[in-house]
Amino acid sequence: MKRSIGSSITGVLDTIFPVFCVHCGDRLDVATESAALCNECLDKIHGTVRHKAFYEVEERVAGILPLGEMFYSMLYRDDTAEKEIILRGKYGDEPFLFRSLAEAFGKRLRRDGYFRDVSCVVPVPASNSKKKRRGYNQTRFIAEGLAKVLGIELIDEVLLRRDDGGGTQTARSKEKRWQAMENLFYCKSEDERLRGRRVLLVDDVLTTGATLVHAAKALFEESGVESISFYTLSVDI
């Protein structure tokens, strides 16, 4: 059977510039779903059990926000390869890892019937100070991967984030995180692209859910979305 020119070139490049799984270190082949993880590692870490943090978020928004589906794909735990992947994508100037993982996980979400009713994906925005320091908003890369695989529109720069001085949520208590998020997000009043839409709001790590919930509130109150589903690449336990 003849191979196409494209597949031949891919095979040559794979031989000259091999790529390795960021989780186990095994060499990736051209049939791998992700450019970051081998299929075996994807099977191991793709989220199938809901974590208590998600239940807490649902309780917080019950009766306040029309919540759709929620899903995550990895657990963010100390001394694990999953946490190292998140840190590399978030702080290590490797945000392409997030796009690759989102594409791979997105295929599985689509296969399992998740997020069928959403029509667009919105990344949680980063503050200007964080974007300036890192050079990118890592969450947008997740949104790009999901939008591509799910076949939905990526809408950015409608949901915005006020600059909080570049501080981090990591050292704050649960209640302090919620307080810090109040009034932090807002939407462009003249932009109508989200009105009446069913939105998939994405973030990289869910800890208390404060970021997602306050971002969602801004979308409902200021952009007139119909419903919001949540996806985070990982959940901090």
Side-chain angles (χ1 to χ4, degrees):
M1 182 182 295
K2 294 183 179 180
R3 298 178 63 190
S4 68
I5 295 177
S7 61
S8 298
I9 293 175
T10 300
V12 172
L13 291 175
D14 183 56
T15 301
I16 301 175
F17 304 108
V19 180
F20 300 92
C21 175
V22 298
H23 189 274
C24 69
D26 284 353
R27 182 169 175 169
L28 302 182
D29 59 40
V30 294
T32 305
E33 290 182 63
S34 168
L37 290 171
C38 66
N39 288 339
E40 184 176 349
C41 287
L42 281 171
D43 289 336
K44 288 180 180 178
I45 69 176
H46 185 53
T48 56
V49 179
R50 287 161 60 83
H51 185 259
K52 62 181 181 181
F54 267 53
Y55 291 111
E56 182 172 325
V57 173
E58 290 181 340
E59 291 174 359
R60 294 249 188 176
V61 300
I64 301 174
L65 303 176
L67 180 65
E69 298 174 281
M70 300 179 68
F71 202 89
Y72 67 91
S73 293
M74 301 191 295
L75 292 178
Y76 185 82
R77 298 171 290 185
D78 289 338
D79 302 318
T80 63
E82 288 92 329
K83 183 172 182 177
E84 179 63 27
I85 292 170
I86 295 296
L87 294 177
R88 285 171 60 179
K90 192 167 186 172
Y91 304 110
D93 200 25
E94 297 182 79
F96 63 88
L97 289 175
F98 284 0
R99 181 169 52 216
S100 176
L101 291 173
E103 288 185 19
F105 291 137
K107 291 175 183 177
R108 295 174 179 226
L109 292 168
R110 183 184 61 191
R111 178 197 65 195
D112 295 337
Y114 285 93
F115 306 130
R116 286 181 176 176
D117 66 336
V118 299
S119 62
C120 61
V121 57
V122 173
V124 168
S127 64
N128 289 332
S129 61
K130 287 182 179 177
K131 284 194 292 185
K132 183 176 181 180
R133 185 167 66 251
R134 296 176 189 168
Y136 55 87
N137 174 18
Q138 71 279 358
T139 306
R140 181 185 166 88
F141 286 80
I142 302 172
E144 289 175 357
L146 290 176
K148 177 181 177 181
V149 171
L150 298 178
I152 57 179
E153 184 181 5
L154 168 60
I155 299 181
D156 201 4
E157 302 300 328
V158 176
L159 177 65
L160 302 172
R161 181 172 183 158
R162 295 182 175 88
D163 203 321
D164 56 1
T168 177
Q169 290 271 62
T170 313
R172 292 171 175 158
S173 67
K174 183 181 298 185
E175 292 307 318
K176 290 290 186 182
R177 289 174 189 239
W178 279 79
Q179 293 171 11
M181 288 291 111
E182 290 181 3
N183 302 315
L184 200 60
F185 297 99
Y186 67 100
C187 300
K188 286 183 179 178
S189 58
E190 71 279 7
D191 199 317
E192 296 288 315
R193 286 180 292 167
L194 293 178
R195 187 163 299 281
R197 305 285 291 272
R198 294 183 176 182
V199 173
L200 176 58
L201 182 63
V202 303
D203 203 2
D204 53 357
V205 182
L206 184 147
T207 303
T208 66
T211 299
L212 284 175
V213 169
H214 284 89
K217 287 179 66 176
L219 288 173
F220 278 115
E221 294 171 359
E222 302 177 31
S223 285
V225 301
E226 180 180 329
S227 67
I228 293 182
S229 292
F230 292 158
Y231 174 81
T232 64
L233 197 57
S234 63
V235 169
D236 186 354
I237 61 171

